[in-house]
Amino acid sequence: MRFLTVLAFAFVTAGATLGSAAELYEMNTNVRALGMGNAFTPIVDDKDSLFYNPAGLAKVRGINWTIMDPRFGVDGYDVVSTVASAQSDSSYVETLRRIFGKNLWLGGGAKMALAIPGFAFAIYDSAEVAAYLSNPAFPNMNLRYLNDYGAAIGVGVDVADTFQFGVVGKRITRMGGEFPFGLSTLGTLTNADITRQLSNQGTGYTLDFGSTVTIPAGIVTPIFSLVWKQIGSTTFSRDTGTAAPPRIQDEIIFGFAAPIDLPGLNINPVFDFKHINRTDEPLGKKLHLGVEFELPVIRVRGGLSQGYWTLGAGIDMEFLKIDAASYGVELGEYPGQHEDRRYLLQATMEIGLDPGFGFLGGGGKGGKGSSGGASRGVKPRR
């Protein structure tokens, strides 16, 4: 626990916007989406609509209870070995010295959710810890710890099977922040400094709006999406600690998908243009492109995210789904400068019931799937 506690140390500047100079990150991500370039807003159609596109709630079919969906990820074996070696350190500062100069990331989360047509509710917890050098020539380490937990509730409306829109509200309790420090800082740090900063915590409320336009066209179903997340940005109160946690900047996303429905196979090509309203970030860091091949039990995924390849796979065993993904994020100013490759695993236990309370496999996508098309029989999940 010492390693996590030390990395949780983050000197937070009040009112700062996290990630403005480095990684464009997202909390509450889905491993399925990450495997396909994190391009997901046009096709999401389950409880994850609460975090990607509220309009997807209008596509939910049946009664779906997500019992749990824990996920965990790291950016390599070095994280595991560093955690093991850091346990023997006698002080927090010694551990900071040990990790200085290394790129380290680990994250995870889980949620419980209930989704029915047009409505979903979830309680969730999502956390990540990261440490990386921003300038190897003049060593400066960026240290980030974030833990968001809270509740989300949303509604979605389907208009004539062609237009869907939805709204989601969230209550978020946030702990942590981000701070860059150099070698000289280590000489003045004390355990008391770290402990004080660990108590930074605040509460915020946010609203997301999403819409999709679905064009029924037979085998291929074009879908356009427009999402505005964290409308007006989300700021946090200072409940405990020395400063309020950093705010979450609002994000506008445009998406497009053209799902192809074939006998025994569905192909989901998807494109997301994220952070449209961020003029301080280069275009390459905003583009996400992916594709998913759905077979009766197995899903295979691939894509591009922030200029880096992604791969993913999933197994759907009725009430249990297992998804794995590898993806890269850009830690520098532009794509291709400083990649951090990450690996995640997620296991989801779901129970789905149709309107007659018959069981639906894989969480209950019994009617329309991710493309909004007709029931597919062999693949009722999406």
Side-chain angles (χ1 to χ4, degrees):
M1 292 299 296
R2 175 176 296 279
F3 176 76
L4 290 177
T5 303
V6 171
L7 286 187
F9 152 64
F11 284 91
V12 184
T13 54
T17 300
L18 199 62
S20 60
E23 178 185 347
L24 284 173
Y25 74 98
E26 289 187 57
M27 302 292 281
N28 296 301
T29 50
N30 176 279
V31 174
R32 175 194 175 197
L34 292 171
M36 51 194 300
N38 205 24
F40 204 43
T41 61
I43 66 170
V44 62
D45 62 355
D46 57 11
K47 82 281 183 184
D48 285 305
S49 302
L50 292 167
F51 306 101
Y52 278 91
N53 182 358
L57 298 175
K59 304 177 184 180
V60 174
R61 295 296 179 265
I63 304 170
N64 308 282
W65 176 28
T66 301
I67 302 171
M68 63 176 182
D69 69 343
R71 70 183 186 279
F72 179 74
V74 297
D75 66 349
Y77 178 75
D78 283 349
V79 172
V80 179
S81 59
T82 301
V83 170
S85 61
Q87 304 306 310
S88 61
D89 291 341
S90 59
S91 72
Y92 297 145
V93 177
E94 286 182 18
T95 304
L96 282 174
R97 292 193 180 103
R98 183 188 293 273
I99 67 174
F100 196 91
K102 297 182 179 181
N103 290 330
L104 301 171
W105 178 88
L106 56 89
K111 62 180 169 289
M112 293 182 62
L114 177 68
I116 61 176
F119 174 84
F121 171 79
I123 55 175
Y124 63 91
D125 195 341
S126 183
E128 71 170 33
V129 182
Y132 57 91
L133 287 179
S134 60
N135 187 351
F138 300 95
N140 193 63
M141 174 174 281
N142 285 306
L143 186 63
R144 181 175 74 245
Y145 164 75
L146 285 177
N147 183 193
D148 289 354
Y149 61 91
I153 187 170
V155 296
V157 178
D158 189 355
V159 180
D161 287 339
T162 58
F163 177 60
Q164 299 83 33
F165 65 92
V167 178
V168 168
K170 302 188 189 80
R171 182 187 188 276
I172 307 170
T173 298
R174 165 164 282 196
M175 298 177 62
E178 184 176 43
F179 180 69
F181 65 92
L183 282 171
S184 59
T185 309
L186 294 178
T188 59
L189 276 180
T190 67
N191 289 348
D193 293 330
I194 298 174
T195 302
R196 278 195 299 269
Q197 300 305 322
L198 284 175
S199 61
N200 287 340
Q201 178 176 302
T203 303
Y205 297 86
T206 185
L207 200 66
D208 299 347
F209 174 81
S211 62
T212 59
V213 175
T214 304
I215 304 175
I219 295 177
V220 181
T221 305
I223 306 173
F224 299 87
S225 64
L226 184 63
V227 181
W228 189 6
K229 299 171 66 176
Q230 318 292 339
I231 295 175
S233 298
T234 303
T235 58
F236 295 90
S237 60
R238 181 171 67 86
D239 297 342
T240 60
T242 60
R247 70 186 178 98
I248 306 174
Q249 184 167 333
D250 64 326
E251 179 184 7
I252 297 175
I253 307 168
F254 169 78
F256 172 74
I260 303 170
D261 194 347
L262 300 172
L265 173 66
N266 296 323
I267 305 173
N268 298 316
V270 190
F271 167 78
D272 266 351
F273 182 13
K274 298 175 179 283
H275 302 282
I276 295 175
N277 52 321
R278 290 285 298 271
T279 58
D280 58 328
E281 294 289 351
L283 178 64
K285 291 177 68 173
K286 303 178 182 181
L287 302 180
H288 301 259
L289 178 68
V291 63
E292 177 182 56
F293 298 89
E294 292 189 77
L295 296 166
V297 176
I298 299 173
R299 282 77 166 124
V300 180
R301 305 158 187 137
L304 291 173
S305 174
Q306 299 185 25
Y308 300 111
W309 60 267
T310 70
L311 284 176
I315 300 175
D316 191 337
M317 299 176 291
E318 296 296 329
F319 305 114
L320 175 65
K321 298 195 297 289
I322 299 176
D323 294 292
S326 174
Y327 69 103
V329 299
E330 180 55 61
L331 300 182
E333 297 293 334
Y334 53 85
Q337 183 180 16
H338 191 182
E339 179 191 14
D340 188 35
R341 176 132 309 262
R342 298 172 181 176
Y343 308 87
L344 286 96
L345 184 68
Q346 184 170 23
T348 305
M349 290 185 64
E350 291 183 329
I351 295 177
L353 301 173
D354 63 22
F357 293 96
F359 283 108
L360 294 172
K365 303 301 176 294
K368 297 179 182 179
S370 58
S371 67
S375 175
R376 292 163 180 161
V378 295
K379 298 180 291 298
R381 168 172 162 266
R382 306 188 202 278

